[in-house]
Amino acid sequence: MTVRVTPRASRNEVRAGEDGNLRILVTAVPEDGKATDAARKLLARHLDVAPTRLVLVQGAQSRTKTFRLD
């Protein structure tokens, strides 16, 4: 699943993007993987799965990230 992450947002939110992918807004800063971790936790809550089941496949340094559900 490919998502677009926006760090330093005013609130944490998951919404549908214009391109059909999910857009995740997080208040965390994009340093040391903090925004990626926050996005994974928020996406897991949205999908009602444990955060450990979401594995980052691609995009550790990018706003566009691909997660795999294990």
Side-chain angles (χ1 to χ4, degrees):
M1 152 181 325
T2 302
V3 298
R4 178 86 173 160
V5 177
T6 302
R8 293 188 185 151
S10 60
R11 64 183 174 271
N12 292 322
E13 182 179 9
V14 178
R15 63 169 90 153
E18 296 158 4
D19 57 357
N21 292 327
L22 288 179
R23 183 156 185 179
I24 301 176
L25 291 87
V26 294
T27 57
V29 295
E31 296 172 353
D32 301 324
K34 292 177 185 175
T36 300
D37 287 339
R40 179 177 37 235
K41 290 175 185 174
L42 192 60
L43 180 60
R45 192 175 319 135
H46 180 74
L47 297 174
D48 197 27
V49 298
T52 55
R53 292 192 57 202
L54 290 175
V55 178
L56 182 66
V57 176
Q58 185 177 1
Q61 301 286 323
S62 173
R63 288 183 181 217
T64 304
K65 300 181 184 307
T66 304
F67 288 98
R68 181 182 72 230
L69 181 62
D70 282 345

